[in-house]
Amino acid sequence: MSEQTAKKKVVLATRNQGKVREFNKLFEVLNLEAVSVSEFPDAPEVEEDGETFEANALKKAKTISEVLGLPAIGDDSGLEVDALHGAPGVYSARFAGEQATDEENYQKLLTKLADVPMKERTARFRCTLAYVEPGQEPVIATGACEGAIAHAPSGSNGFGYDPVFFVPSQLCTMAELSPEQKNTISHRAMAMKDLLEKLKGR
């Protein structure tokens, strides 16, 4: 395919540049370009008030697609820690408060798990994607990555809880993986693979 061929824009209903970068790496095999909703001044802020990842992802994608008249992907993802009965879950991004930084969130998590032994620190990242295109039925895709919560942060790649999410198959935290390595095993990569398969079948 010619490099001059215009890529089809898909609006990501997020202002998280880390997510935008990950999506564009995953989109390299397709003639798609992920653009952040922050590039559209008229796009509204969508409140994530759903009780599930799917509800939040679908709400974001529908709202942005309707306002902009473009295909949109809503992404809601988070961390589920078994010792905390699935928390922080849908509250992952604001675990330590509405304006909390990534470090504040994972430090709060480490504090809560301070006395929990490694064998009981099992956790997983979950991701739900909702693809909404004007005039089409929404497509829902999911992915997960199993792991455990480390006792201390390590690594400088990625974002969110990556520095404290230990991946047993890699013997390191998610933040110690290169972007290319992460995109072969991450919850978002698994959800994207699921989404691409479902889109092909439409």
Side-chain angles (χ1 to χ4, degrees):
M1 185 176 289
S2 169
E3 290 185 1
Q4 271 68 48
T5 303
K7 289 187 175 182
K8 181 178 181 179
K9 285 190 188 296
V10 178
V11 182
L12 295 184
T14 180
R15 290 176 167 79
N16 184 317
Q17 291 303 313
K19 288 184 180 181
V20 174
R21 285 192 296 273
E22 286 189 9
F23 270 105
N24 271 315
K25 284 189 177 294
L26 295 167
F27 275 154
E28 283 176 356
V29 297
L30 301 172
N31 197 37
L32 293 174
E33 178 188 2
V35 294
S36 170
V37 72
S38 62
E39 294 186 23
F40 300 88
D42 295 336
E45 289 283 351
V46 182
E47 185 181 1
E48 297 182 27
D49 54 4
E51 295 185 2
T52 64
F53 295 132
E54 181 175 330
N56 284 330
L58 196 53
K59 181 181 180 182
K60 287 190 281 188
K62 280 184 172 179
T63 302
I64 297 303
S65 181
E66 287 171 5
V67 171
L68 300 178
L70 292 168
I73 292 177
D75 162 22
D76 199 29
S77 53
L79 180 68
E80 295 177 346
V81 180
D82 293 326
L84 301 180
H85 309 290
V90 294
Y91 303 104
S92 294
R94 50 192 187 277
F95 191 42
E98 287 295 329
Q99 304 300 321
T101 64
D102 289 347
E103 184 174 359
E104 287 169 343
N105 283 328
Y106 70 65
Q107 289 294 353
K108 178 177 180 179
L109 179 65
L110 293 179
T111 298
K112 282 185 170 290
L113 296 176
D115 299 324
V116 179
M118 196 65 200
K119 65 181 181 180
E120 296 175 19
R121 296 169 77 96
T122 51
R124 69 208 48 80
F125 276 128
R126 284 199 190 277
C127 176
T128 298
L129 301 177
Y131 178 90
V132 174
E133 190 165 353
Q136 303 279 337
E137 281 293 310
V139 177
I140 305 295
T142 60
C145 180
E146 296 288 334
I149 305 303
H151 287 283
S154 183
S156 57
N157 294 326
F159 60 96
Y161 294 88
D162 287 356
V164 298
F165 188 82
F166 183 79
V167 186
S169 63
Q170 307 297 310
L171 297 178
C172 64
T173 69
M174 194 76 91
E176 292 176 292
L177 297 174
S178 69
E180 292 74 24
Q181 289 172 309
K182 180 178 177 179
N183 282 332
T184 64
I185 65 164
S186 76
H187 52 309
R188 193 164 292 108
M190 295 301 103
M192 178 60 72
K193 183 178 179 181
D194 187 32
L195 179 62
L196 296 181
E197 288 300 315
K198 288 176 176 176
L199 290 178
K200 287 177 189 173
R202 280 166 72 106

